[in-house]
Amino acid sequence: MMKPICKVLIVDDEILVRQGIKYVLDWEQEGFQIVGEAANGREALNSLPALQPHIILTDIVMPVMDGEEFTRLVKRDYPAIEVIVLSSFSEFHYVRSTFQHGVADYILKPKLEAGALLQVLKKTRERIPELCAAGEQTEAEATPLDTLLGRMLSGYRLPLESEAEVKRQLPHECLALLGWEPVQPATVITIITTELNQRVPGLVQCVIPGTERPGTTIMLMNLQEAHWPQLLEAVYHLADMLAGQEPDVRLILSRRFRSLSELASVRQESDARLQQCRFFQPEQTLLIQPECPEQETQPPKFNLALFTEQVKRQQLTEAFGDLHQHVDALSRQDDGDVYEFKSFLGNIIFNITNLFSHIRELDEGKYGLFRAIDEAGTAEQAMQILEDYLNRIMELTTSAASTQGGNAKMMKLLQYIEEHYAEPLSLTELARHFHFNPSYLSSLFTTHNHEGFKEHLNTVRTDKAAELLRAGEAPIAEVSSMVGYGDHSYFCKVFKKYYGLSPSGYRRQHYGQE
C-alpha cells in the first residue's frame, strides 16, 4: 500500500535557507514533494491556489508579509493546510503567537537537521486526513496527475504504472506548456482554464506544482494536432482579455512537443526565453516560442581599443557616445544574453575606473556598481546605472579641469608624455619643447596632477610594459627598451615598485605558470 505524496511549500526570505531545506532530505523517498518556494508571506499566499500544498514550512521574520500574519491568513482561508514555523531563539515570542492561529509545530533554525525535520514532517502529515486515509490503491491510482507531472518536471523517473496512468489521462498527440506570472488568484486561473476549454475542443489542462522559480504558474496542455490554431487564437484572446483586467500578467506559450520526455527541456527553453524577455522587454505581455529554433545573431563588436584611447585623451563625449550606441544595440537583440550584457557593463566600468584611478571616489564606489548591475531586473535599469556613472565621471573630470583653472597646458603635457613615453624624456627636455621654465613645469605637475613628472612618466611606462608582458611575445630586456628604459635593472626595480612583482614574475602570474 502506497501513501499519497505530501506536498510541501517552503517560505523564507533567505535563498540559502530555502536551498538548504530542499537538499537536506530525499523528499521523494520519504513520501514528500516540494511543490514551490516563496521569499515572503505575500508571495506564498498568492501561490496557494495553484500549488495547493498540504504543509507549509515558513520563516517568521520576512519582508512584505511576515510569518505571523501569513500564518493567520492561511489558517483563516485554508484551514486544512498545516503550518510548521521556522524560527531562532530570539524570535520565540513570535512563535508563541502563531500557535494561537493553529500552527502544527515549530523548528529552531540553529538545530535544523534532517532527522529532526523529518520527524516533525511525519508527525504533521499524520494530522492530514486525506493523506492518512490511503486504501489499497496503487501509487499511480493514488497520486494525482499534477503531482506525477511535477515529479517528471524535476527529473524524477516514474514507475511504469505511473507512466501508463499519465498517458491515459493525456490521450492526445500534441503537448504544450502555458506559463503565466506573477501568480494570480484562483479567479484568474479559472478565467484562463475556462477560456481555453471553450475555444479548444477536447483540451486537457493540468497546473503543475513544484516550479523552481516562485511567482510563476505552469500548466501542461494536451490537445489534438488539428486544434493547435484554435489554441493559438485562444491564447492571443486571453492576452488581450487579461491586459484589461490584470495588466501585470505575462503569458508564455511553449513550442509544441509530442513526448513527455521533452517536458523538462521545453520548460527550460521557456524559462530562458522568459528571462530574456523579462530583462530586455519588460513591457511585452505575451511570448510565443517559435516552432523552429531561431538563428542566433552575433552581437555587435565594440572597439575597446579606440574607446580606451579616446578616454585617455579626455575625448569623453565621443567615447561615451559610441558606448551608448553599442549598449543600446545590445539591449535591442531578441536573443540577447542577460549574463553577457551585465558582464559587458561591469567590464566597461572596471576599465574606465582603472583609467581614472587617480579619482578615489570612482575607485571606491566600483564594487557597489558591480552589485547594482548584477541585481538590475531590466536592461533599462542596468543602462541607467551606467548612464549615472558616466555622468558622474563627466562631472568629476569637469570639476578637476575647473580646479586646474582649465589648464589646457597640463592636458597637452600629459598627451605628449603618452605619445613619447618610449623616448628619453626628462623634465628639462619637456620644458624646452613647451618653452617652459623647468622649475615652473615641475611646480605645474605638483599643483595640477596627482603625481609629479617622474612618477607620472614611470606610471605610463610600467603600464605599457605590463601590456607588452601580457602579450607574451617580446623578451623582458626588449620590453624594457621598448618603454623607454635604457637600464634593464632599473626597469625591473621600478616595475616591481609599481606592480609588486618583477617583470618575469608578473608574466608568470598572468599565464598561471609556476
Side-chain angles (χ1 to χ4, degrees):
M1 182 173 63
M2 182 74 67
K3 284 189 176 182
I5 288 291
C6 179
K7 297 186 286 186
V8 180
L9 171 66
I10 303 172
V11 188
D12 196 298
D13 61 321
E14 296 184 39
I15 189 170
L16 292 179
V17 172
R18 300 201 303 269
Q19 291 294 318
I21 293 173
K22 285 165 63 176
Y23 296 111
V24 75
L25 288 176
D26 186 343
W27 292 85
E28 298 283 351
Q29 183 68 29
E30 300 296 344
F32 296 90
Q33 179 190 15
I34 296 176
V35 294
E37 55 182 284
N40 59 69
R42 173 59 59 193
E43 190 177 288
L45 203 62
N46 289 338
S47 72
L48 293 184
L51 301 181
Q52 299 181 2
H54 297 107
I55 296 175
I56 297 174
L57 284 170
T58 181
D59 190 14
I60 284 288
V61 180
M62 297 181 291
V64 184
M65 179 187 287
D66 63 19
E68 185 179 11
E69 182 182 1
F70 172 56
T71 300
R72 178 178 61 80
L73 295 176
V74 168
K75 299 308 290 185
R76 184 194 70 183
D77 299 334
Y78 305 90
I81 296 178
E82 296 292 347
V83 179
I84 299 172
V85 169
L86 303 171
S87 74
S88 64
F89 290 105
S90 61
E91 299 160 1
F92 192 72
H93 61 287
Y94 290 112
V95 178
R96 188 181 298 113
S97 67
T98 63
F99 274 98
Q100 299 172 4
H101 306 308
V103 301
D105 212 329
Y106 76 94
I107 301 174
L108 292 174
K109 279 187 180 180
K111 294 187 176 181
L112 182 60
E113 51 89 27
L117 176 60
L118 184 58
Q119 183 179 0
V120 172
L121 285 167
K122 286 183 175 180
K123 184 174 71 173
T124 304
R125 180 171 59 185
E126 292 172 1
R127 297 168 53 128
I128 304 172
E130 68 174 278
L131 299 181
C132 295
E136 295 299 321
Q137 301 164 298
T138 65
E139 180 184 15
E141 293 169 335
T143 307
L145 177 62
D146 63 345
T147 301
L148 294 173
L149 291 173
R151 294 184 194 178
M152 296 184 72
L153 200 55
S154 62
Y156 179 77
R157 187 184 181 95
L158 297 180
L160 291 177
E161 64 271 18
S162 296
E163 277 191 28
E165 177 62 19
V166 170
K167 290 177 181 178
R168 186 187 68 78
Q169 296 188 54
L170 301 174
H172 306 305
E173 68 273 20
C174 184
L175 298 162
L177 293 176
L178 180 68
W180 58 90
E181 62 172 15
V183 170
Q184 297 297 311
T187 52
V188 173
I189 296 177
T190 302
I191 290 173
I192 292 174
T193 54
T194 302
E195 181 68 19
L196 294 176
N197 269 331
Q198 289 176 350
R199 291 176 171 268
V200 185
L203 180 69
V204 178
Q205 305 175 67
C206 182
V207 174
I208 307 177
T211 55
E212 286 296 320
R213 185 182 60 258
T216 304
T217 305
I218 297 292
M219 182 171 71
L220 179 71
M221 298 177 296
N222 180 226
L223 66 155
Q224 295 180 28
E225 189 81 33
H227 295 151
W228 180 254
Q230 286 99 313
L231 178 64
L232 288 176
E233 183 181 344
V235 170
Y236 279 114
H237 183 75
L238 259 177
D240 291 340
M241 181 191 304
L242 292 173
Q245 300 178 24
E246 301 286 343
D248 293 333
V249 176
R250 188 199 311 269
L251 295 173
I252 178 166
L253 177 65
S254 77
R255 62 176 174 84
R256 285 175 286 186
F257 59 104
R258 291 181 173 274
S259 171
L260 282 169
S261 63
E262 296 181 71
L263 183 62
S265 61
V266 172
R267 168 68 193 283
Q268 289 175 354
E269 292 171 13
S270 297
D271 279 356
R273 185 70 185 95
L274 192 57
Q275 182 190 37
Q276 286 178 329
C277 183
R278 195 187 300 113
F279 187 77
F280 291 109
Q281 301 166 300
E283 73 288 344
Q284 191 166 337
T285 57
L286 174 61
L287 296 171
I288 296 181
Q289 285 187 267
E291 292 296 300
C292 298
E294 296 175 325
Q295 292 290 329
E296 290 189 8
T297 57
Q298 289 297 320
K301 297 290 185 183
F302 183 67
N303 193 334
L304 183 60
L306 175 61
F307 175 81
T308 302
E309 189 64 30
Q310 288 175 325
V311 173
K312 285 181 176 180
R313 294 177 182 273
Q314 296 292 311
Q315 298 170 342
L316 301 186
T317 302
E318 297 88 341
F320 293 172
D322 292 342
L323 178 61
H324 282 307
Q325 290 183 7
H326 181 78
V327 172
D328 185 64
L330 287 179
S331 72
R332 295 179 186 278
Q333 288 194 118
D334 290 337
D335 59 348
D337 185 283
V338 177
Y339 175 78
E340 289 181 2
F341 183 84
K342 290 183 176 181
S343 294
F344 176 77
L345 298 190
N347 288 335
I348 284 293
I349 289 175
F350 181 81
N351 283 318
I352 295 176
T353 304
N354 284 345
L355 293 172
F356 289 96
S357 59
H358 57 285
I359 302 180
R360 182 173 300 176
E361 179 182 334
L362 293 178
D363 189 62
E364 292 175 348
K366 64 184 178 184
Y367 294 108
L369 289 171
F370 295 154
R371 285 193 299 272
I373 287 176
D374 187 55
E375 294 168 1
T378 66
E380 185 176 357
Q381 292 172 3
M383 291 164 69
Q384 187 59 54
I385 293 168
L386 177 66
E387 176 72 17
D388 293 343
Y389 172 72
L390 298 181
N391 288 339
R392 184 60 180 148
I393 289 176
M394 296 291 279
E395 291 174 8
L396 292 171
T397 53
T398 301
S399 173
S402 175
T403 302
Q404 295 171 4
N407 201 325
K409 294 177 182 178
M410 192 69 214
M411 297 303 299
K412 288 181 179 179
L413 286 170
L414 296 177
Q415 184 174 335
Y416 185 85
I417 292 172
E418 183 71 26
E419 293 173 351
H420 298 272
Y421 66 89
E423 301 172 12
L425 289 180
S426 68
L427 192 65
T428 302
E429 291 168 351
L430 199 63
R432 186 183 302 117
H433 178 83
F434 283 97
H435 307 291
F436 292 155
N437 182 289
S439 60
Y440 167 75
L441 185 58
S442 177
S443 175
L444 187 68
F445 256 94
T446 304
T447 304
H448 298 304
N449 202 44
H450 67 287
E451 55 190 357
F453 166 75
K454 191 72 172 178
E455 290 77 12
H456 182 75
L457 179 60
N458 281 331
T459 297
V460 173
R461 284 175 168 174
T462 53
D463 285 349
K464 299 294 183 181
E467 291 180 15
L468 294 170
L469 291 169
R470 291 196 299 270
E473 297 173 357
I476 293 174
E478 188 175 330
V479 169
S480 171
S481 61
M482 289 170 70
V483 298
Y485 290 103
D487 186 333
H488 174 69
S489 61
Y490 179 66
F491 161 67
C492 293
K493 180 179 177 180
V494 172
F495 189 91
K496 187 170 184 179
K497 175 185 175 183
Y498 278 75
Y499 277 86
L501 292 168
S502 66
S504 58
Y506 178 83
R507 175 173 276 173
R508 282 198 304 272
Q509 184 187 70
H510 179 70
Y511 287 102
Q513 297 175 353
E514 293 296 331

